[in-house]
Amino acid sequence: MSYQPSTTSLPAPCLVDVGIVVNPKDMVRILQHLGRVRYIHQQEEQVLREGEGYVVEVFSDPQQATLVANRSLYLNVASFDYLEMGQLADNQPYFDLIQDNRCLRILPQSNPLTEQNSCNINDATLEAMLAEALTAQWDACLDDDSNNFTS
């Protein structure tokens, strides 16, 4: 008897507003543009901390921690088993990052529909743009100096 694996593949999941996300890349895509949020950190359904902050960075790296400090959230999806997304009774979306009996609930406070035209450049992008502009200006100065011929 020979076993032949199926050549047909299953379609990728499709989740709309509610569901459980286990793929780290999908978790990053969902969380990376949240902006201003409220957060509630619970363990065994007991609230340990809550507050407001801004999602500064979302990444997946087993060597780094998820950090919430100084109203800044650095979310490492590798710190969690899965993300559950849903809506509260008032249609407010929530994103629960779950790891064992720990839950970090993220409640978006900004609306991407009303903020889509705002400029949202992170520090690294701004720094790269500034370095490029300064380098171009420096190159232009060097070109001008080398083209100054005395008559």
Side-chain angles (χ1 to χ4, degrees):
M1 180 168 145
S2 69
Y3 171 76
Q4 297 200 354
S6 174
T7 57
T8 60
S9 62
L10 296 174
C14 175
L15 302 173
V16 179
D17 293 328
V18 296
I20 293 178
V21 180
V22 295
N23 183 311
K25 288 181 181 179
D26 288 338
M27 292 167 66
V28 168
R29 288 175 37 216
I30 289 170
L31 299 170
Q32 69 185 351
H33 299 291
L34 288 182
R36 210 175 92 236
V37 298
R38 275 193 62 241
Y39 62 87
I40 303 167
H41 181 220
Q42 300 178 54
Q43 188 161 4
E44 295 179 359
E45 299 194 27
Q46 179 182 359
V47 175
L48 302 176
R49 293 270 192 245
E50 59 184 302
E52 288 190 18
Y54 190 84
V55 176
V56 176
E57 184 178 10
V58 181
F59 56 97
S60 179
D61 183 346
Q63 301 300 314
Q64 295 186 51
T66 287
L67 301 170
V68 179
N70 194 30
R71 297 184 182 238
S72 299
L73 286 81
Y74 302 88
L75 301 174
N76 182 0
V77 298
S79 297
F80 305 97
D81 296 327
Y82 62 93
L83 178 144
E84 181 180 338
M85 58 183 195
Q87 292 183 329
L88 300 174
D90 62 354
N91 289 330
Q92 157 99 40
Y94 70 83
F95 302 98
D96 285 349
L97 291 161
I98 309 291
Q99 194 270 324
D100 291 334
N101 58 359
R102 175 187 313 270
C103 174
L104 180 59
R105 174 164 281 185
I106 307 293
L107 300 158
Q109 298 297 296
S110 53
N111 183 341
L113 295 178
T114 59
E115 297 177 8
Q116 71 182 9
N117 292 329
S118 67
C119 182
N120 190 11
I121 299 175
N122 66 26
D123 291 341
T125 303
L126 185 58
E127 187 175 315
M129 290 169 52
L130 181 59
E132 188 174 323
L134 291 173
T135 302
Q137 185 176 7
W138 181 252
D139 288 344
C141 288
L142 289 176
D143 288 346
D144 287 346
D145 289 344
S146 65
N147 290 331
N148 287 338
F149 297 104
T150 57
S151 39

